[in-house]
Amino acid sequence: MIRRALTLMAPVLLLAACASLRPATEQRVTQGPTAQQFWTMRMLLQNGKEPSFDERRYWDDQMELKVAQYLREHPDTANSLDAASFRFYRQTAVGQSKEQVLILLGPPVGTTTDEAEMEKLARRYWPELKGNVTEAWVYPLGWNFYFAGQRLVDITQYLKD
């Protein structure tokens, strides 16, 4: 029983140890994490192991169906120049809709429309974001997504406070 608990906790402890060795990361980017990165992280945390080949294939098929359905329902997006991030790379990127981010990453762990909270999340980037964002979504690994209405307008990441 104890061995099983240690086996399940090993990946989590390894991730924590690696994170503590890295210097603090603070970045503002136009492209965020991929759907596969987030799904793999969730699988590691839930199951204590990386997904199997069959699990990856099933997930990939399901993601392909979701992306294809979204693009059928939104032909203007399917024909846009930056559709590749969503369609092929399955990566979050500035300009995407809230619905696209939800398809790729799932629901956020937190959301806020409070300006003071968004300022805390944006830290040194707040002067550039202030007045241009209406909502922020918080995801694991320090990822914060800022929206103006329905569009993703900025992405920041902070690791290790």
Side-chain angles (χ1 to χ4, degrees), residues 1-104:
M1 186 66 132
I2 292 173
R3 181 178 291 167
R4 180 179 162 96
L6 289 175
T7 303
L8 292 176
M9 288 302 296
V12 175
L13 295 173
L14 182 62
L15 285 172
C18 290
S20 69
L21 295 175
R22 291 192 319 177
T25 299
E26 177 176 318
Q27 62 179 344
R28 183 176 178 206
V29 295
T30 57
Q31 294 185 318
T34 66
Q36 185 173 11
Q37 289 169 329
F38 263 63
W39 176 74
T40 302
M41 178 194 63
R42 277 194 295 273
M43 293 296 286
L44 271 168
L45 293 173
Q46 289 173 358
N47 302 327
K49 67 174 188 70
E50 286 195 31
S52 68
F53 175 79
D54 289 334
E55 289 169 325
R56 284 182 200 275
R57 199 174 76 201
Y58 177 79
W59 175 83
D60 197 48
D61 290 344
Q62 293 304 307
M63 182 58 66
E64 182 64 33
L65 288 173
K66 289 177 188 177
V67 168
Q69 179 181 353
Y70 178 85
L71 294 174
R72 272 192 308 277
E73 293 171 1
H74 301 88
D76 54 320
T77 301
N79 296 324
S80 72
L81 292 175
D82 28 305
S85 290
F86 181 66
R87 174 184 277 162
F88 303 114
Y89 306 123
R90 297 181 186 149
Q91 183 173 26
T92 52
V94 168
Q96 291 177 342
S97 69
K98 287 182 178 180
E99 189 176 354
Q100 287 174 297
V101 174
L102 284 171
I103 289 168
L104 295 174

Side-chain angles (χ1 to χ4, degrees), residues 111-138:
T111 64
T112 185
T113 56
D114 180 63
E115 192 168 303
E117 286 297 315
M118 289 190 288
E119 182 177 4
K120 287 179 190 174
L121 293 171
R123 300 181 191 190
R124 72 182 180 120
Y125 301 115
W126 182 244
E128 298 167 49
L129 299 178
K130 185 178 182 178
N132 298 320
V133 297
T134 56
E135 186 174 5
W137 289 6
V138 178

